[in-house]
Amino acid sequence: DQQVKQNSPSLSVQEGRISILNCDYTNSMFDYFLWYKKYPAEGPTFLISISSIKDKNEDGRFTVFLNKSAKHLSLHIVPSQPGDSAVYFCAASAVGNEKLTFGTGTRLTIIP
Amino acid sequence: EPEVTQTPSHQVTQMGQEVILRCVPISNHLYFYWYRQILGQKVEFLVSFYNNEISEKSEIFDDQFSVERPDGSNFTLKIRSTKLEDSAMYFCASSETGKNQPQHFGDGTRLSIL
């Protein structure tokens, strides 16, 4: 099941710079997208979401961009902080459906 | 901040035994979910539950699995006759109103089948 893909397994960013995490999807029925952060031995923590009627949603340091024509979304974190070091998952749900389909995750490391 | 709590954090069970994983969703949430993550694989959906019945289930969620909300606070996942391949992290989640609302996850139960 490759409906949601995160092609970068890892990313390292200097503290204070922008972190950009990417996610691609193939299912055109997806209409709601989320980003989660996960620390070891904890469950996924919700960060930010976006509906397909929007192309951008912002919450503090976190901004999610959605490009429906490219079936691509990205998460921008600025400025990056050491506490942002974690695994980031994108997830999506389809029209009329609550089931979340997850990507494989990207491990973000913030370098002090 | 309200959170989803799961117990136990780690369960070790002999193959063929039954196991019950417990979850307390966020109190004003109406939709409940179970997901699992086999080591090295993606988080995958098992089942969603609303208004005391299953609203959707994946092909993984066969007759070996069942869910129940036995009282006003707990939400359980029962796995009958466990198999080695049931070893995974099991996550419970809840959301306030279902579709287009974020699902909030517990810290999971690590299930190890011997």
Side-chain angles (χ1 to χ4, degrees):
Chain A
D1 180 359
Q2 293 290 310
Q3 295 186 73
V4 178
K5 289 183 267 192
Q6 294 176 256
N7 291 318
S8 298
S10 64
L11 176 68
S12 294
V13 174
Q14 288 281 344
E15 181 179 359
R17 306 292 288 267
I18 184 171
S19 296
I20 300 176
L21 297 109
N22 294 301
C23 179
D24 297 296
Y25 63 95
T26 57
N27 188 342
S28 57
M29 297 300 288
F30 285 150
D31 67 344
Y32 182 61
F33 304 87
L34 310 91
W35 282 95
Y36 286 88
K37 177 168 81 171
K38 187 179 182 303
Y39 294 119
E42 293 185 12
T45 299
F46 169 70
L47 280 176
I48 193 168
S49 62
I50 188 167
S51 163
S52 61
I53 61 173
K54 294 185 172 184
D55 53 21
K56 176 182 173 182
N57 189 26
E58 203 170 340
D59 184 1
R61 296 187 298 116
F62 302 94
T63 303
V64 55
F65 295 91
L66 176 62
N67 182 334
K68 288 184 289 293
S69 60
K71 293 191 174 66
H72 178 83
L73 68 156
S74 60
L75 174 68
H76 292 209
I77 306 172
V78 56
S80 301
Q81 300 173 354
D84 296 330
S85 294
V87 177
Y88 288 77
F89 293 95
C90 68
S93 66
V95 174
N97 197 300
E98 302 148 40
K99 160 190 166 183
L100 293 182
T101 300
F102 280 82
T104 50
T106 296
R107 180 177 302 278
L108 175 65
T109 302
I110 305 302
I111 304 163
Chain B
E1 185 173 321
E3 56 183 28
V4 175
T5 57
Q6 290 186 242
T7 55
S9 56
H10 190 191
Q11 174 82 45
V12 181
T13 302
Q14 290 286 334
M15 186 171 60
Q17 298 295 303
E18 176 182 285
V19 64
I20 297 176
L21 309 183
R22 302 180 193 279
C23 170
V24 179
I26 295 172
S27 62
N28 64 331
H29 286 189
L30 301 177
Y31 292 76
F32 315 116
Y33 312 89
W34 285 100
Y35 291 80
R36 78 174 184 189
Q37 186 178 27
I38 295 171
L39 188 63
Q41 298 186 22
K42 292 184 179 185
V43 176
E44 53 188 353
F45 169 80
L46 292 177
V47 66
S48 59
F49 189 87
Y50 169 70
N51 200 24
N52 277 321
E53 56 184 37
I54 291 173
S55 46
E56 188 182 359
K57 59 183 181 179
S58 71
E59 54 275 8
I60 303 166
F61 195 90
D62 59 20
D63 292 343
Q64 184 194 7
F65 294 89
S66 62
V67 289
E68 191 178 33
R69 187 156 164 82
D71 53 42
S73 60
N74 289 284
F75 178 52
T76 62
L77 173 69
K78 182 190 290 186
I79 310 174
R80 286 179 283 275
S81 189
T82 49
K83 307 172 207 166
L84 293 176
E85 55 264 37
D86 295 328
S87 295
M89 281 292 291
Y90 287 80
F91 294 106
C92 173
S94 68
S95 73
E96 194 170 343
T97 56
K99 179 59 183 169
N100 287 10
Q101 284 289 312
Q103 296 177 22
H104 297 271
F105 285 75
D107 284 340
T109 293
R110 177 170 300 284
L111 178 62
S112 300
I113 307 299
L114 304 179

